Amino acid sequence: MIEVHDLHKHFGGFHAVDGATLRIETGSITGLIGPNGAGKTTLFNAIAGVLPPTSGRVTMDGEDITGLPPHTLFSKGLLRTFQIAHEFTSMTVRENLMMVPGGQSGERLWNTWFGRKRIAEEERALAAKADEVLEFLTIDHLTHERAGNLSGGQKKLLELGRTMMVDAKIVFLDEVGAGVNRTLLNTIGDAIIRLNTERGYTFCVIEHDMDFIGRLCDPVICMAEGRVLAEGTLAEIKANEQVIEAYLGTGLKNKAKAEA
C-alpha cells in the first residue's frame, strides 16, 4: 500500500531521515522500532504530509503522494495519530468523534439557515456511528464524558476511534502505548487486531514496548540514524547484530571480545 523510496528530511545540517526505503504491505500490521532519535516520527510526518520531505518519493497504491498535505491524504484514507493525543477537551467523547468526517452540511453558513433538516439528519447518523465506534472500542460508558477528563489510555482509544469515523485505508500509530497502563494497552491491541482482521485496516505502528510489537506486528522494521537498518519478524530483528548495536552501542562480537 505504501512505498517509501530514498526519503530524506533535513533540518539544516541534521539529517533526521537519511535515505529511508521501505514498503508497507496492504493488510499488514507493520511495526516500526528503533532507538530514540532514529527518525521514526519524522518519517511518519513526512509520509503523512505533516512535514514536506527534503527529497525522495512516497507512493500509496501506486499513486505519488509525496508532499501532499494532511487533509488531502485524509481524503485518500491515510490517517495518523500522535504520541500526545489531541482531543477537543471541552467536548464530549461522542462529539469528538462526530467532528471527524469532512464536508458536513453544518459547516456551510447557508445550510444553517435553510438546511436545518438535512443537518439534523446528518447529526443523527453521525451520532449513531459514533455510538457504534464507542461500543466497538468498549468505551461506550464514556459517551457523554468530556474528553479532557479521560485517562491517557482512554484518549488513545478515542484517537483510534476517530479513524473509524471515516473510510481509513492505512493508519499510522505513533507510540500508542506511551503513558498507557497494561490493561488499556491490551484493549487498544485488541481493537487494532479487530480493525485489521474484520475491517481490513492496514497499520504501521511506532512503539517501544516489544511485547506489544510482538503480539501485533509482522513484519517489524528497525530504523537507526534515519535509515532502515533491518526488517523481518521480531525474533529475527532481536537476533540482528546491527540492531543490537543500534540499541546497546555494542554488537555481539564486541561483547564477546569484552567478555574474553
Side-chain angles (χ1 to χ4, degrees), residues 1-3 24-27 59-62 77 169-170 200 202:
M1 180 171 289
I2 296 289
E3 289 192 60
I24 301 171
E25 298 294 342
T26 302
T59 63
M60 177 177 175
D61 289 331
K169 292 183 179 179
I170 181 165
T202 299

Side-chain angles (χ1 to χ4, degrees), residues 41 105 119 130 203 247:
T41 293
S105 298
I119 292 172
F203 286 97
Y247 272 102

Side-chain angles (χ1 to χ4, degrees), residues 15-256:
H15 295 194
V17 179
D18 194 18
T21 296
L22 58 91
R23 292 166 58 96
I24 301 171
E25 298 294 342
T26 302
S28 70
I29 305 178
T30 299
L32 184 61
I33 67 171
N36 291 331
K40 304 182 298 296
T41 293
T42 304
L43 176 67
F44 266 24
N45 286 335
I47 294 172
V50 179
L51 294 171
T54 303
S55 63
R57 188 166 181 256
V58 182
T59 63
M60 177 177 175
D61 289 331
E63 177 188 355
D64 192 338
I65 61 169
T66 311
L68 291 181
H71 67 272
T72 301
L73 296 174
F74 177 89
S75 67
K76 294 179 180 293
L78 188 156
L79 288 75
R80 70 151 296 176
T81 67
F82 295 85
Q83 295 177 27
I84 300 173
H86 298 279
E87 73 283 354
F88 295 101
T89 57
S90 62
M91 299 176 70
T92 68
V93 170
R94 177 199 269 168
E95 289 168 344
N96 266 263
L97 294 181
M98 292 173 65
M99 287 283 292
V100 174
Q104 298 184 37
S105 298
E107 296 173 2
R108 299 175 179 84
L109 182 60
W110 181 267
N111 288 334
T112 63
W113 294 336
F114 302 105
R116 292 184 180 180
K117 182 178 179 181
R118 187 193 317 163
I119 292 172
E121 289 173 351
E122 284 185 6
E123 287 187 346
R124 282 193 292 271
L126 286 171
K129 185 167 186 177
D131 290 343
E132 177 192 343
V133 167
L134 293 172
E135 183 178 359
F136 181 96
L137 296 174
T138 69
I139 54 172
D140 46 316
H141 59 290
L142 299 171
T143 298
H144 303 292
E145 183 66 65
R146 288 192 178 186
N149 296 335
L150 301 182
S151 70
Q154 290 167 341
K155 288 178 181 180
K156 293 294 179 73
L157 279 167
L158 177 58
E159 288 250 291
L160 191 58
R162 285 175 175 167
T163 72
M164 299 174 63
M165 292 297 293
V166 292
D167 295 324
K169 292 183 179 179
I170 181 165
V171 180
F172 290 84
L173 301 174
D174 194 348
E175 295 200 30
V176 69
V180 178
N181 67 52
R182 179 58 57 181
T183 300
L184 271 177
L185 187 58
N186 288 336
T187 301
I188 293 170
D190 292 341
I192 292 170
I193 291 169
R194 286 187 62 197
L195 286 170
N196 175 254
T197 57
E198 297 176 16
R199 305 198 179 190
Y201 278 36
T202 299
F203 286 97
C204 187
V205 184
I206 293 176
E207 185 52 60
H208 291 289
D209 187 317
M210 290 300 104
D211 290 336
F212 187 78
I213 287 287
R215 179 189 171 202
L216 268 68
C217 301
D218 186 13
V220 177
I221 298 170
C222 181
M223 286 186 68
E225 299 180 344
R227 301 182 183 91
V228 172
L229 198 61
E231 178 177 350
T233 65
L234 183 58
E236 290 169 341
I237 292 293
K238 284 183 174 181
N240 186 298
E241 186 173 338
Q242 288 183 298
V243 174
I244 296 169
E245 280 193 38
Y247 272 102
L248 303 178
T250 180
L252 293 176
K253 292 179 181 178
N254 291 338
K255 182 179 178 182

